[in-house]
Amino acid sequence: MTAGTAKDSADRAAKPVAPKRRAKRMGLSGRVAMIAVAAAFFAALAQWVVTPIMAQGEIRYQRQTAVFAGANLLADVARIHVEAGHWDEIGKLVDALSVGMPDGQSAVFDKDWKLIAKDGAVERLPPQRQMAALAADASAVMVEGERYYAARPIVSNGVLYGYAVYSFEPRAFLDIWLWVVALNAIVLSLVLLAIAPLIYRLARHALKPVTDLEKRIRMRDPKDKSKLADSSDDKLLKPLLTAIDGVHDRSEAAMRRALTMAYTDPVTRLPNRLRFMSKLDGTVAGGGVVFLVICDLDRFRQVNVTYGPRVADLALATTAERLRAAASQTLTLPFFFGRIGADQFGVILPGAGREAVDSVIAAMEAAVSGVMVIDEQALRVTARFGAAASPEDAANGGDLLKQAEVALKEAKRQTGTKHAFFDRKLLDKARAQSRLEEEVREGLERGEFVAVYQPKVKLETGELVGAEALARWRRPDGMAVSPGVFIPIAEELGLIAKLGKQVMQDACLAAAGWNRRGIVSSVAVNVSPHQFDDPDFVNSVYRALDESGLPPNLLELEITESAAVADPDRVARTMWPLRNRGVRLAIDDFGTGHSNFAAITRLPFDVFKIDQQFVRALSTDPHAPAIVEMILAMAEALGQETVAEGVETKEQADFLLRRACTIGQGYYYSPPLPAAEFDAFVRSYRPRPADRFAA
Ligand code: C2E
Ligand code: MG
Ligand code: MG
């Protein structure tokens, strides 16, 4: 883990803590109380904003009234002085008034608008014309800037003596408003602070049903399946609880679906490996004898390749059902069946005896091998079984599976029986096998695999016509290992393509050399069906030909009959381009596969190689001559060359020639030889023609 991600995860871990703590400090009631207080505060604030806007007309009116009152008072008092003839007293009057009305300012004029007296604070008076207009209208007020003006005539007994002008500048509206708002806010805050606990208590009381419910939901036993909605008749809560029940039901259903999906194989609907292993662990841990049988389908990958994944899935599902049915019909005790791999199934048999396990394996073996028809295509699968028992072979589920796999591997190695039980000796064998596998891998890296060459002879004349390249493993300890041992390992480990390419290169180089020296012309190379999986196969053959300079018609590829029959379309797809370049194709070990003649005759073969077991049996098995004759007749009818393998005696060669076989290969002529010895053999070779008329 990098420092960055460590920090991230630390952040992630730290984050949820803060809100959790806050949530604990303030419960639902606290939050509601807070909201109430905040709402009250903001409502008041809104009102304080709106009130002065609405009161503006009234305020103006009040101010006008005040300025009128000032002007009237000034005019009245001035009139009294005038009536008394005390004009000189008017200055004092004006001063006195300015003391009594601190915001107001007064001025008195004679009837010709000559100033008689004015308050010291008056700096600038409106023009005479405006003052005269004000004095003429009893309801007129003049506003200049923030200052209000009113003027009244001084009249006594119908005689005009002068004018009284009064003005005042009220305090700025904003100042007053701010001041009032600040005061109000302080008062409101204090009040709210004082009543907050009460609001809190009220909220708590009002929310009690909800907080009780919250507590109940949190403390609820997960196993409690009762509906929350049934626990309350509260009109407000009931719909809420019904909604919670709905959400809960839906999420439980989703959870169940997810669990089913996580533990079920979608193709066979059987428990999957995860579920199977947990069941196996539990059963083994429970004690007592537990048998585990695992079943592996043979070459199921081939079914996938040949018929496509849809048919292969259906075949798997059918096979699974057959296996399960066979087990349930045979067993009286409960068992557990699941899919544990792509083409593997497993059966857990707690408390079963060895006999019961034997019979269940036999039943499953029989059930699996029946032909099934899918999409009008008949296909057949076969399977191998491995079994192990706890506590004898393993103490836990994982080990028990491992031991059953060891037994399965043994069953795969065996010919004849299709099942094996775990045995301690198998472990050693399995270990030796893995060692061998490792050695094959290393041997291939070190170039320990070489080709040897076995001559092929024209029966009639005895002349050498070609050779078959056969792989040999020369181990560092000097031991030569036969292909029967290492070819299956190389196939299983996916190394056959590499090995095949090495043999192909060696063989092409050797044959090109012979060709130049005018000896044996053609070379045959064996091809494993696994090599068809290698997309580079066809090109690697072209490369071997190009690099060696061997003409393509001098190369022959041998494909076993069983490989050709298993997937004729694939063989044809791979082989046609090579055939078109002139490479010859031979069908090897003919007679040993389950021949599908229709398929084989459609394939581009030039040569039939009769398997050595028929040649060997010629003298011992009374049916062998008939089989060989039949193969030869068929090859002749198809116009194909025939090679008899394993010719060890002159009698065999004579018989084969009599039956129109063209070429022989076997110890009678020569065993396979290393490249270096092959030249010497050819040089000293004396043809051994077979005798058509020998008895
Ligand atoms: P095959 O292609 O049918 O090869 C013939 C086998 O018969 C060879 O066995 C050869 O040594 C053996 N043989 C030849 N003459 C006689 C005889 O007169 N009597 C008896 N009893 N046996 C004889 P080998 O070399 O052990 O090869 C076994 C099989 O291994 C081959 O059967 C072939 O299928 C496979 N194989 C060999 N080399 C390669 C290779 O390079 N690639 C692939 N894919 N398979 C190979
Ligand atoms: Mg061969
Ligand atoms: Mg053969």
Side-chain angles (χ1 to χ4, degrees), residues 291 387-395 399-400 403-404 421-424 427:
F291 265 96
S390 147
E392 197 185 323
D393 303 330
D399 286 350
L400 188 57
Q403 315 298 51
F421 279 81
F422 176 79
D423 174 331
R424 291 277 149 202
L427 266 188

Side-chain angles (χ1 to χ4, degrees), residues 565-578:
V565 171
D567 190 357
D569 290 339
R570 203 153 74 112
V571 173
R573 262 199 315 279
T574 316
M575 291 303 176
W576 268 116
L578 291 164

